[in-house]
């Protein structure tokens, strides 16, 4: 049951209203980074404080909550955030994508298609896509407001000149509705196509950096590229060893000391439900 | 002869508190002209340059630029996006220290390509070809295209900065002590390069320097500044060989002969 | 082409007690296209000063110096710049160039400034250098390291690269051997034949007699000593 020492979902109501205002502004201006007064949370920065504050602000008693970390429901981070909200908000928790109404995620978008009744909350370490090329925040803000995004292509140019192709494989920059360039958080570029035209609301929270941004449902999201080096959402050229899925994002798992390895779906819920439906990969027991 | 000045500076003044940066400076610069501005440190020449280039906001005055699309416009009263667009397309600014004008963490090719990408170039092959072309034009071996400027000598960095600035074919270049801090032999090479680029591209330029030998070789017109005021102006060789103002006479007679 | 009326020149030395030195007054002369005029007078009489004033290098205090209808005394810098690029050539005694620029480019430069295509400009430069007997291996080197006579010839080649309608020649035949002296005199004759107006200083009397139509003694332009 709810721990009575805390307000519903830990944050006080004024704070949640402040965060909701930031979220609404973010939804109104898709891709724009809205500053917000990020609170100290009972967990270290880098563990999803931004995502947790956004989840807390949108959560109601009727919600069903799911947390994934790199696609998995059972990592330390996912388990502790799930239990945090079970304890402070008393909401139901689930590991099944289809059952969840709020999904907080670190580094993945679920394989199963999302619906209009769902909210996907991303944990974001560095919200500013221009940061590594232009360290001055005053300057990057100006670049966003004036739509000066040449620098973003300089980064991709550097990739091609050094590696022969665009080697950025996660946190791959996107342009939202032809206006703001946005960092989609460190999801693999394989997930980028799922950002666009998505029925669910997508919210991005950066706790340490005090920024919130958002994609309303069915927003146009385009991955940046060059005409002669088009965006390629590649993945490992294997099928899942457990469920046999051929079009899911895979983790490489080392299974012995002799260099043995297998590829498995990074989305554990997707993989398990496929196995429950009778699908079998080559490494399945 | 074109009657339109490319740049018309009218009554530009800038104060720093009680100290005068530059006072009531006016002149017109015509296509193809190179204007030198000389004076000792603190004479206001850099303040004037930065006021013209939009890096500083003067307290009074107008800086009209003959834009390609709309004709003469007061750049001080343009919106910031317009002015920034101008400084990426029709204008260029060469800093004294190359590291102020380059991205040191980005390869030479990326540095040259940035302005192209900023104005919408989205074809890697085309961007790379013009980066190679420009490296050759500023006499940097194109095999260095993927090296970072940190691996370049001071003279090469300066030439890279020039390539990065000129790749979008600007019409007006502001230069702040472009040969300052370079060895004499490297200076000569850079001067020759700048002269031929100015001639071949039909560039106009405003060059601030304290080196009279540089203006004699690079500029066809000259302004002499002292304590924020323009004390003398005219043809470069006329001002240097037949100076009229006491300060210019002092300046010219103070040069060490070799 | 050249038209001078009542030109005077003073130097004011602000840093030497404001001394005012009058060097010329009441200078008038006129040179028509196809005509060559020699300035004469003792050393220090003001020949070089007058040449520099004609080129706009020295500023006249008073009078009219008209070249091709442009009054240099009053003209805006850009008008003088245009005049020097298109109309008025000057062969000085000293070569002043950017170090390390190859001789061929130094000579071709006045043509490039006029927008002549590079191959054509270089071809014309090569012709002149060959005619003035500058050995071909030197063309790719900077003239700053050349001997005085070689520098002089490079300077002449540069001055004659473009067919200027008006030319100022300051001692064009000094320090030249007989062969090259003859070449320079030929160049002057050719320029006259195409209608160039020329004002020159020639210490070489034979040369003067050969190419000049008129001599003007600048001693007559000296400020009156009576005042």
């Amino acid at each position: 049951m709810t721990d009575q020492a805390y307000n519903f979902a830990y944050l006080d109501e004024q704070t949640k209203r402040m965060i909701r205002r930031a979220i609404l502004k973010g939804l109104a201006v898709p891709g724009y980074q809205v500053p917000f007064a990020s609170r100290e949370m009972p967990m270290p920065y880098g563990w999803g404080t931004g995502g947790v504050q956004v989840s807390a602000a949108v959560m109601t008693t009727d919600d069903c909550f799911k947390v994934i970390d790199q696609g998995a429901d059972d990592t330390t981070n996912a388990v502790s955030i799930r239990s945090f909200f079970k304890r402070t908000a008393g909401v139901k928790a689930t590991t099944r994508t289809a059952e969840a109404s709020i999904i907080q995620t670190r580094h993945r978008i679920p394989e199963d298609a999302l619906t209009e009744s769902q909210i996907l909350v991303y944990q974001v370490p560095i919200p500013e896509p221009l940061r590594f090329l232009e360290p001055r925040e005053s300057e990057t803000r100006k670049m966003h407001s004036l739509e000066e995004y040449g620098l973003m292509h300089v980064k991709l140019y550097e990739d091609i000149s050094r590696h022969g192709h665009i080697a950025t494989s996660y946190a791959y920059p996107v342009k939202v509705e032809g206006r703001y360039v946005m960092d989609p958080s460190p999801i693999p570029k394989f997930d980028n196509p799922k950002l666009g035209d998505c029925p669910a609301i997508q919210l991005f929270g950066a706790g340490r950096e005090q920024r919130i941004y958002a994609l309303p449902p069915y927003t146009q999201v385009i991955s940046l590229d060059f005409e002669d080096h088009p965006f390629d959402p590649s993945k490992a050229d294997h099928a899942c060893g457990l469920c046999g899925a051929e079009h899911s994002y895979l983790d490489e798992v080392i299974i012995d000391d002799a260099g043995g390895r297998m590829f498995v779906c990074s989305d554990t819920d997707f993989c398990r439900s496929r196995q429950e439906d009778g699908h079998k990969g080559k490494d399945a027991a | 002869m074109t009657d339109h000045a490319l740049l018309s500076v009218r009554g530009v003044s800038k104060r720093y508190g009680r100290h005068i940066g530059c006072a009531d400076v006016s002149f017109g610069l015509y296509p193809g002209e190179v204007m030198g501005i000389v004076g000792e440190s603190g004479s206001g020449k850099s303040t004037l340059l930065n006021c013209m280039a939009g890096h500083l906001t003067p307290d009074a005055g107008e800086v009209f630029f003959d834009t390609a699309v709309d004709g003469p416009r007061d750049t001080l009263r343009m919106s910031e996006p317009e002015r920034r667009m101008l400084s990426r397309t029709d204008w260029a600014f060469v800093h004294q220290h190359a590291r102020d004008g380059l991205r040191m963490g980005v390869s030479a090719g990326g540095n040259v390509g940035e302005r192209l990408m900023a104005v919408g170039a989205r074809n890697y092959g085309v961007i790379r070809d013009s980066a190679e072309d420009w490296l050759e034009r500023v006499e940097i071996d194109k095999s260095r295209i993927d090296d970072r400027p940190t691996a370049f000598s001071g003279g090469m960095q300066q030439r890279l900065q020039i390539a990065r600035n000129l790749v979008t074919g600007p019409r007006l270049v502001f230069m702040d002590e472009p040969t300052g801090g370079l060895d004499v032999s490297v200076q000569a090479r850079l001067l020759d390069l700048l002269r031929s680029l100015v001639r071949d591209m039909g560039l106009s330029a405003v060059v601030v320097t304290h080196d009279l030998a540089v203006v004699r070789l690079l500029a066809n017109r000259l302004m002499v500044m002292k304590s924020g005021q323009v004390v003398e102006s005219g043809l470069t060789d006329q001002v240097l060989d037949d100076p009229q103002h006491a300060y210019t006479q002092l300046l010219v007679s103070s040069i060490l002969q070799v | 082409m050249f038209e001078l009326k009542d030109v005077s020149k003073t130097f004011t030395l602000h840093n030497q007690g404001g001394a005012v030195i009058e060097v010329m007054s009441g200078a008038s002369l006129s040179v028509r296209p196809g005509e060559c005029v020699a300035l004469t007078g003792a050393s220090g009489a003001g020949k070089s000063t007058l040449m520099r004033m004609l080129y706009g290098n020295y500023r006249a205090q008073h009078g009219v110096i008209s070249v091709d209808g442009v009054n240099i005394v009053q003209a805006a810098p850009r008008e003088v710049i245009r005049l020097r690029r298109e109309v008025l050539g000057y062969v000085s005694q000293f070569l002043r160039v950017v170090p390390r620029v190859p001789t061929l480019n130094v000579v071709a430069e006045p043509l490039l400034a006029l927008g002549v295509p590079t191959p054509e400009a270089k071809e014309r430069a090569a012709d002149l250098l060959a005619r003035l007997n500058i050995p071909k291996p030197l063309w790719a080197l900077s003239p700053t390291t050349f001997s005085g006579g070689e520098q002089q010839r490079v300077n002449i080649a540069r001055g004659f690269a473009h067919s200027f309608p008006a030319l100022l020649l300051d001692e064009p035949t000094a320090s030249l051997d007989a062969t090259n002296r003859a070449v320079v005199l030929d160049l002057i004759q050719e320029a006259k034949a195409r209608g160039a107006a020329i004002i020159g200083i020639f210490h070489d009397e034979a040369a003067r007699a050969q190419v000049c139509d008129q001599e003007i003694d600048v001693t007559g332009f000296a400020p009156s000593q009576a005042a």
Side-chain angles (χ1 to χ4, degrees), chain A residues 215-228:
Chain A
L215 297 173
Y218 307 108
T219 299
Q220 183 204 63
V221 179
I222 291 170
S223 303
L224 300 181
D225 61 3
F226 287 101
E227 291 158 10
D228 45 350

Side-chain angles (χ1 to χ4, degrees), chain B residues 1-2 30 33 139 188-189 192 195 199 216 221 233 235 237-238 241-242 244-246 249-250, chain C residues 9 11-15 56-59 61 77-78 80-82 84 96 98 100-101 109 112:
Chain B
M1 198 183 304
T2 359
Y30 292 82
E33 284 186 342
E139 302 167 33
R189 186 176 183 186
D192 174 36
R195 267 170 73 111
R199 186 188 61 217
R216 190 185 275 280
R221 291 174 57 192
S233 66
L235 292 168
D237 60 286
Q238 187 260 304
D241 293 342
D242 185 15
Q244 309 288 313
H245 190 275
Q249 291 183 357
L250 182 69
Chain C
K9 168 75 191 154
F11 287 109
T12 308
L13 307 178
H14 294 285
N15 299 303
N57 180 228
Y58 279 2
R59 196 182 279 186
Q61 263 63 38
R78 67 190 181 106
V80 181
I81 292 166
R82 192 214 30 109
R84 287 177 178 183
R96 195 170 239 153
V98 180
R100 107 180 181 112
V101 178
E109 200 181 353
L112 296 174

Side-chain angles (χ1 to χ4, degrees), chain B residues 18-32:
Chain B
R18 288 173 55 203
H19 176 72
I20 295 172
C22 62
D24 198 25
V25 178
S26 302
F27 71 93
L29 185 73
Y30 292 82

Side-chain angles (χ1 to χ4, degrees), chain B residues 155-222:
Chain B
M156 279 171 81
Q157 288 183 2
Q158 197 58 298
R159 279 179 276 133
L160 180 63
Q161 190 193 182
I162 288 164
R164 169 181 161 88
N165 268 285
L166 298 189
V167 65
T168 47
R171 295 188 293 148
L172 175 62
V173 187
F174 298 104
M175 299 188 217
D176 188 7
E177 303 273 6
T179 59
L182 298 177
D183 290 344
V184 178
S185 60
V186 179
Q187 276 192 18
R189 186 176 183 186
L190 194 69
L191 279 176
D192 174 36
L193 178 72
L194 284 172
R195 267 170 73 111
S196 30
L197 289 172
V198 162
R199 186 188 61 217
D200 297 346
M201 299 177 72
L203 292 175
S204 304
V206 179
V207 184
V208 159
T209 179
H210 62 267
D211 189 335
L212 298 184
V214 167
V215 285
R216 190 185 275 280
L217 293 172
L218 200 54
N220 32 32
R221 291 174 57 192
L222 186 61

Side-chain angles (χ1 to χ4, degrees), chain A residues 35 41 52 65 70 80 84 105 133 163 183 194 247:
Chain A
M41 298 302 286
V52 166
F65 191 56
Q70 305 268 20
S80 37
F84 175 78
T105 179
L133 292 152
H163 306 286
D183 182 324
K194 291 184 239 166
H247 302 291

Side-chain angles (χ1 to χ4, degrees), chain B residues 36 46 52 60 88 92 118 146 157 164 169-170 194 214 239 256:
Chain B
S46 293
M52 288 189 277
R88 284 201 306 269
D146 293 329
Q157 288 183 2
R164 169 181 161 88
L194 284 172
V214 167
V239 173
L256 299 174

Side-chain angles (χ1 to χ4, degrees), chain A residues 86-104:
Chain A
K86 275 205 281 195
R87 186 170 156 201
T88 60
V91 291
K92 279 183 294 179
T94 181
T95 60
R96 295 190 184 271
T97 300
E99 285 175 7
S101 57
I102 299 173
I103 304 171
Q104 183 171 330

Side-chain angles (χ1 to χ4, degrees), chain C residues 39-69:
Chain C
L39 301 180
T40 60
S43 183
K47 300 186 293 292
S48 290
T49 301
L50 184 56
M51 290 287 267
R52 283 166 170 264
M53 287 163 72
L54 284 162
Y55 195 59
N57 180 228
Y58 279 2
R59 196 182 279 186
Q61 263 63 38
H62 183 262
V64 174
I65 301 175
S66 161
V67 180
D68 196 26

